[in-house]
Amino acid sequence: MELFSLEFVTALLTIVFIDLVLAGDNAIVIGLAARKLPREQQKKAIIWGTVGAVAIRAVATVLVVYLLKVPWLMVAGGVLLLWIAYKLLVDTDAHDDIQAGNTLWQSVRTIVIADAAMGVDNVIAVAGAGHGSILLVVLGLLISIPIVVWGSTLFIKLIGRFPWIVYVGSGVIAYTAAKMITHEKQLEQVFNASPAFEWAFMILVVIAVIVFGLRHNLRRAKAAQQLDNGRDSR
């Protein structure tokens, strides 16, 4: 795609937005890993831990970009990304297994290892949104460094105040997943024959993910309310 064209800028903004939406886990990991350090060392742990984590993620994402050129892996990546989009809406992990470090090095190591283990969703999402462009992926990740370091905690607060942001983020990831599937070379004849069918497929996928996620959350909220009512009646 042409540098700084509308398609390029749109894809770059999509990558940054995906990074923002998925940065919540990173902020939690960073906070938990550095919480026992003296205040003057916490900032160093956050910066070096994030730099190390982003470096590993950048290498992993570039590798995934190349892997997605293998036949049918775009479909596999798209399906996995759909699960990630759904999981974003319904996941309730408490991150209880993240241990705080007692030294700067221990905290940095914890941040890097935990982020690498938890960053699979981000890697696949960014690689899919990059449409095979290494430049797009690298630019998106570079923009994401200050976002993760300074903006992710603020974004968590925004999500807590405006829960609908998560649904928008999930929709963007689901759209990216659907686009990965439609761009699979083995399925070119299916989707390229009818642009209307391609768009209908992508819209249907986005709606399905959001509806299933919303349905799950409503059921969970109803079950929690019934449990609370049962406790109050005792």
Side-chain angles (χ1 to χ4, degrees), residues 135-152:
L135 177 61
L136 258 177
V137 168
V138 173
L139 275 177
L141 288 171
L142 287 176
I143 293 171
S144 302
I145 292 175
I147 290 174
V148 172
V149 176
W150 293 291
S152 53

Side-chain angles (χ1 to χ4, degrees), residues 35-79:
R35 69 184 184 274
K36 286 186 179 179
L37 293 177
R39 186 174 292 274
E40 62 271 14
Q41 287 190 340
Q42 285 182 354
K43 191 172 182 180
K44 290 181 181 179
I46 290 170
I47 291 174
W48 286 111
T50 303
V51 168
V54 171
I56 291 174
R57 185 173 296 184
V59 173
T61 306
V62 170
L63 289 175
V64 171
V65 167
Y66 283 112
L67 283 174
L68 289 177
K69 295 176 182 178
V70 176
W72 295 110
L73 278 188
M74 284 284 277
V75 172
V79 171

